[in-house]
Amino acid sequence: MMKPLRIGLLMLGGKEWIGGSEYIKNIILALSSLSPDTKKDFEIFLIYSSKSIDFDILKQLDNCLSLTYDLDKELNNYNLINRVKWKLRKVLFKEVNPRLSDFFKKVEIDFVYPYLLSQKEEIPKLKGYPWIADFQHKYLPNLFTESELFLRDSLFKKIAELSKRVVFSSNSAANDFRKFFPNSKAKIEILRFTTSLQEIWYTGDVIATQQKYNLPDRFFLVSNQFWQHKNHCLIFEALKILKSKSIYPVIAYTGSTQDYRNPDYMNTIFSTINEYGLESQTYLLGLIPKQDQMQLMRRSIAVIQPSLFEGWSTVVEDARCLGKKILLSDFSVHLEQNPPNSKFFDRYSAQQLADLIDECWQDLSITPDLEQESLARERNMQEVQEFAYRFLAIAKSDN
């Protein structure tokens, strides 16, 4: 009898990048949704550090995992002797991360993701592939420091040169990889992630959640971290246009208010709201529990996603699994995601967005739309399974 495939998943993100945590969480939930017979063939291990873990997510995933490893406790000491040894291995054998690879070998992980391995670090019982979410820094370099641009370019170049396979969430990102690294011999894998529905989202009280945040009965929802490329200011421009016509839609915003690349961004948000007189139409809720976010999404008129650039939008996938109407900016990844009940606008056109907001604001349909939720729920069950099987196919692929 073959031993189960031991899959090690590296937790990403943390509070600075919620999308990374959601990505890994959805892989785990998708794998856990498979039949008992299928799940006999693999085990899931979550590997995290204090910087990357949200303990609420860890608690939520507890029943899905064979074991968890806290790297702050598990890794070999970062003392002088080990530092010299690891440095020599990097220089002489081109190993990428010997400290981590030694740990994976010790606990007998078969496949670690997302992770870049050099040929020297690979052994018959250890395999790993990196994931590139997007090439945002190539299209919006003004949002990055010089050192960040250098680090990203260096990492992606190393991936293109060393990795036998590279995973992307979209054809758009894969095409960018081919464009920027035309000589790479790495095989390309597309893994479009899907949000895994949770039963609690359907048993939540949307009215109570709406009232908890002092929201009116009718509002739009924007669920993006307050980072500059998320393009919040386009919404304010659209509201300014509508205000000139005596149309006053209300919009609630969730997400972290910290942009490490532009610490002054929230001041721009506040000053724009104040300048345009949008205080009564604007609810800045900050980072709220996922359960509350999903109840507000169900209750909202529509979700607005104005971002200038994304990898594969978690917000779009969340809206898809609830059957929500969503107003989407028209860049390539959003067009590729193309969820049901979506309407697209030019990501630089406040007028187009204003027209769509106005159209939805005039629609007095009751929310949540239980019929659309039911249809979306049926689709989601199949989509999550397809996502899980696609991940397993990549994990089991030969180098």
Side-chain angles (χ1 to χ4, degrees):
M1 182 176 177
M2 290 186 62
K3 290 184 178 180
L5 181 71
R6 293 167 64 87
I7 299 172
L9 290 167
L10 280 167
M11 179 54 80
L12 304 174
K15 290 187 177 181
E16 287 190 349
W17 181 33
I18 303 301
S21 301
E22 288 293 308
Y23 179 66
I24 298 301
K25 182 184 81 172
N26 279 316
I27 292 175
I28 294 169
L29 292 175
L31 291 173
S32 300
S33 74
L34 297 175
S35 68
D37 281 345
T38 303
K39 288 194 289 186
K40 290 177 183 177
D41 294 335
F42 62 86
E43 296 173 325
I44 310 172
F45 300 85
L46 181 64
I47 301 149
Y48 64 88
S49 68
S50 58
K51 290 182 179 180
S52 66
I53 196 64
D54 179 326
F55 286 98
D56 289 336
I57 290 179
L58 187 59
K59 184 178 179 181
Q60 179 186 336
L61 296 174
D62 186 53
N63 293 333
C64 306
L65 302 168
S66 298
L67 202 62
T68 63
Y69 291 107
D70 182 346
L71 292 177
D72 296 329
K73 300 175 181 177
E74 298 286 349
L75 291 180
N76 289 333
N77 290 332
Y78 201 67
N79 55 36
L80 178 60
I81 294 175
N82 281 336
R83 290 203 309 270
V84 171
K85 179 178 66 176
W86 292 325
K87 180 68 174 179
L88 286 173
R89 287 166 61 182
K90 286 182 179 180
V91 173
L92 296 177
F93 303 113
K94 307 299 182 184
E95 294 189 34
V96 179
N97 197 328
R99 188 185 187 204
L100 260 180
S101 295
D102 285 350
F103 165 72
F104 295 138
K105 294 171 186 176
K106 182 180 73 173
V107 298
E108 298 183 323
I109 295 294
D110 298 316
F111 177 73
V112 58
Y113 180 81
Y115 193 61
L116 172 62
L117 283 167
S118 66
Q119 291 185 14
K120 180 66 177 178
E121 289 164 285
E122 288 179 349
I123 58 174
K125 292 290 291 179
L126 179 62
K127 180 174 66 176
Y129 302 138
W131 170 54
I132 295 180
D134 60 54
F135 287 85
Q136 182 189 139
H137 72 295
K138 291 291 191 182
Y139 293 91
L140 300 173
N142 57 301
L143 301 184
F144 297 81
T145 65
E146 289 297 323
S147 62
E148 285 176 322
L149 291 171
F150 174 78
L151 288 172
R152 283 205 175 199
D153 281 336
S154 299
L155 173 60
F156 292 172
K157 182 175 183 290
K158 187 179 292 185
I159 287 173
E161 292 174 349
L162 296 180
S163 189
K164 294 179 179 178
R165 291 178 188 267
V166 186
V167 181
F168 301 90
S169 297
S170 67
N171 283 319
S172 177
N175 290 336
D176 282 339
F177 181 77
R178 294 186 185 98
K179 178 172 70 175
F180 295 124
F181 301 102
N183 297 321
S184 175
K185 296 179 181 179
K187 294 181 181 178
I188 286 174
E189 300 283 1
I190 307 297
L191 178 69
R192 299 181 180 89
F193 68 82
T194 300
T195 294
S196 291
L197 285 173
Q198 299 170 51
E199 193 62 34
I200 192 173
W201 292 347
Y202 290 98
T203 58
D205 188 330
V206 297
I207 303 298
T209 308
Q210 166 203 327
Q211 293 173 347
K212 174 181 176 179
Y213 294 99
N214 299 310
L215 292 169
D217 289 337
R218 303 183 69 249
F219 61 92
F220 294 87
L221 184 70
V222 180
S223 287
N224 276 331
Q225 291 178 270
F226 281 85
W227 290 354
Q228 193 171 341
H229 73 278
K230 300 295 187 179
N231 206 19
H232 292 86
C233 288
L234 187 77
I235 300 174
F236 304 144
E237 296 294 335
L239 292 181
K240 180 183 179 184
I241 291 170
L242 293 174
K243 185 180 179 182
S244 69
K245 302 176 182 178
S246 299
I247 302 169
Y248 305 99
V250 172
I251 302 184
Y253 303 80
T254 70
S256 171
T257 57
Q258 303 297 318
D259 185 349
Y260 72 96
R261 293 181 297 195
N262 184 359
D264 197 47
Y265 184 54
M266 280 309 298
N267 289 331
T268 301
I269 296 290
F270 290 133
S271 64
T272 304
I273 292 170
N274 180 261
E275 179 185 349
Y276 294 170
L278 302 175
E279 293 88 346
S280 63
Q281 299 170 248
T282 303
Y283 290 74
L284 302 178
L285 307 182
L287 191 60
I288 66 174
K290 184 72 174 185
Q291 169 69 356
D292 287 358
Q293 179 199 356
M294 298 307 284
Q295 297 315 303
L296 294 183
M297 189 173 286
R298 295 177 68 206
R299 181 60 170 157
S300 68
I301 296 170
V303 175
I304 304 175
Q305 170 55 305
S307 185
L308 294 173
F309 209 96
E310 295 286 334
W312 188 262
S313 174
T314 303
V315 173
V316 173
E317 293 306 310
D318 287 350
R320 182 201 300 274
C321 76
L322 293 177
K324 285 303 301 184
K325 185 180 295 182
I326 181 166
L327 310 183
L328 277 166
S329 55
D330 65 346
F331 80 97
S332 60
V333 173
H334 280 166
L335 294 170
E336 189 175 335
Q337 286 186 272
N338 192 27
N341 305 317
S342 57
K343 295 190 176 184
F344 292 91
F345 59 89
D346 183 329
R347 59 193 179 279
Y348 298 106
S349 174
Q351 183 62 62
Q352 284 190 22
L353 177 56
D355 291 342
L356 289 178
I357 291 174
D358 184 21
E359 178 185 324
C360 293
W361 188 245
Q362 305 310 322
D363 182 355
L364 302 179
S365 300
I366 296 173
T367 57
D369 186 329
L370 299 182
E371 181 179 354
Q372 287 297 325
E373 281 192 356
S374 179
L375 292 171
R377 195 173 188 177
E378 291 178 13
R379 289 193 301 266
N380 182 257
M381 292 176 63
Q382 179 179 350
E383 290 166 352
V384 168
Q385 299 251 314
E386 290 172 352
F387 172 42
Y389 281 118
R390 178 74 185 116
F391 177 85
L392 285 177
I394 293 171
K396 295 176 180 179
S397 62
D398 295 329
N399 282 332

